[in-house]
């Protein structure tokens, strides 16, 4: 399979592993933290073998495991657990997508958008530190108050990731993924076992897109897929 060099480079997968290990999602990491040291003992060899499996088309994501984490309210939050290997692949894909959208995010970073800001390309952390973002958010609130605004709305979107509109998501992605065939392709139906079957086809779908990647224009993502 012809993947873009940037995606299948050892450097990208080493960065992906570093970002998985240093991620701030402690509740999620608690289920795989014990694997980090043993994987890292032969890190280069493990990552090289994973890259070769992806290139050869023999890599197969595992089905996600679902566990339920109780909230203070008593509601159970579902956590879909990937194997460590699948986490690394997913992060490697995220690295590529983040690089493509970084300039777009910078337009509103720390002015209108204060959360989930991606870090520099070479940072071992995927997101910027939250402290700087919070200080900017606090300053923006103070500035808004001084301009005569008296109300603050604080709300939470229930089951946001479970209910995200993928049609809208594809519309946003089309700004960087300039491919009419991909946008016109009918919505894929992904089989789901309970609450946990969605991750595997998602990884496969992203890998399919990446196989058709062309880097002719470095400022845009061009990809072609067929049914």
């Amino acid at each position: 399979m012809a993947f873009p060099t940037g995606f299948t480079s050892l450097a990208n997968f080493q960065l992906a592993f570093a970002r998985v290990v240093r991620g701030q999602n402690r509740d999620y990491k608690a289920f795989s933290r014990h694997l980090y040291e043993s994987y890292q003992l032969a890190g280069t060899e493990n990552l090289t073998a994973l890259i070769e499996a992806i290139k050869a088309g023999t890599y197969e994501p595992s089905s996600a495991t679902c566990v339920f984490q109780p909230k203070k309210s008593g509601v159970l939050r579902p956590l879909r657990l990937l194997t460590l290997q699948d986490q690394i692949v997913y992060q490697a894909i995220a690295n590529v997508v983040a690089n493509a959208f970084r300039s777009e995010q910078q337009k509103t970073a720390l002015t209108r958008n204060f959360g989930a800001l991606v870090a520099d390309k070479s940072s071992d952390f995927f997101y910027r530190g939250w402290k700087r973002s919070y200080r900017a958010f606090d300053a923006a609130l103070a500035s808004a108050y001084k301009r005569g605004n008296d109300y603050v709305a604080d709300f939470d979107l229930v089951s946001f990731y479970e209910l995200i509109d993928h049609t809208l998501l594809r519309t946003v992605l089309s700004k960087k993924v300039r491919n009419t065939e991909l946008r016109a392709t009918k919505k894929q139906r992904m089989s789901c076992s309970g609450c946990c079957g969605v991750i595997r086809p998602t990884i496969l779908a992203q890998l399919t897109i990446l196989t058709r990647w062309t880097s002719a224009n470095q400022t845009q993502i061009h990809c072609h897929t067929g049914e």
Side-chain angles (χ1 to χ4, degrees):
M1 293 186 178
F3 289 98
T5 303
F7 168 65
T8 54
S9 69
L10 179 59
N12 184 42
F13 274 75
Q14 288 174 328
L15 181 61
F17 178 71
R19 286 175 167 176
V20 167
V21 171
R22 290 170 173 79
Q24 298 301 305
N25 49 339
R26 294 182 177 85
D27 291 341
Y28 192 96
K29 288 170 57 179
F31 293 93
S32 57
R33 190 188 305 276
H34 62 288
L35 300 173
Y36 297 161
E37 288 188 10
S38 58
Y39 194 92
Q40 198 167 19
L41 284 175
T44 300
E45 292 79 3
N46 286 329
L47 294 175
T48 299
L50 178 56
I51 292 170
E52 292 305 316
I54 293 173
K55 289 180 177 179
T58 58
Y59 163 73
E60 285 285 340
S62 301
S63 296
T65 299
C66 194
V67 298
F68 293 91
Q69 181 184 55
K71 297 182 179 181
K72 292 181 180 179
S73 63
V75 176
L76 297 178
R77 172 189 286 124
L79 292 179
R80 293 157 181 81
L81 306 178
L82 302 183
T83 64
L84 177 56
Q85 180 167 266
D86 289 348
Q87 290 180 50
I88 295 170
V89 174
Y90 207 79
Q91 182 62 59
I93 295 171
N95 291 348
V96 175
V97 175
N99 290 340
F101 279 87
R102 182 174 283 99
S103 60
E104 189 70 23
Q105 190 183 64
Q106 291 296 328
K107 295 177 182 178
T108 57
L110 302 180
T111 55
R112 295 177 58 190
N113 176 21
F114 303 92
L117 301 178
V118 294
D120 295 336
K121 293 181 180 180
S122 58
S123 173
D124 284 344
F125 295 90
F126 187 63
Y127 293 115
R128 297 188 197 178
W130 66 269
K131 292 182 179 179
R132 180 187 177 192
S133 294
Y134 193 85
R135 285 195 296 267
F137 176 67
D138 193 46
L141 282 179
S143 176
Y145 179 77
K146 291 177 180 178
R147 295 196 304 271
N149 297 284
D150 299 328
Y151 297 94
V152 174
D154 184 8
F155 58 90
D156 183 23
L157 299 178
V158 177
S159 301
F160 174 75
Y161 290 105
E162 287 81 0
L163 302 176
I164 189 170
D165 187 334
H166 283 80
T167 299
L168 177 60
L169 180 60
R170 286 195 297 271
T171 299
V172 174
L173 288 174
S174 69
K175 296 178 181 180
K176 292 289 184 179
V177 183
R178 302 199 314 182
N179 175 277
T180 56
E181 294 172 340
L182 178 62
R183 295 198 298 268
T185 300
K186 63 183 179 180
K187 183 179 180 181
Q188 292 182 332
R189 298 192 177 199
M190 298 185 293
S191 60
C192 182
S193 174
C195 65
C196 305
V198 69
I199 294 297
R200 183 175 183 276
T202 298
I203 295 177
L204 288 173
Q206 293 191 50
L207 287 175
T208 299
I209 292 173
L210 285 170
T211 60
R212 306 293 181 150
W213 185 294
T214 173
S215 57
N217 184 339
Q218 296 298 325
T219 62
Q220 298 288 342
I221 297 176
H222 302 266
C223 52
H224 304 273
T225 61
E227 292 186 80

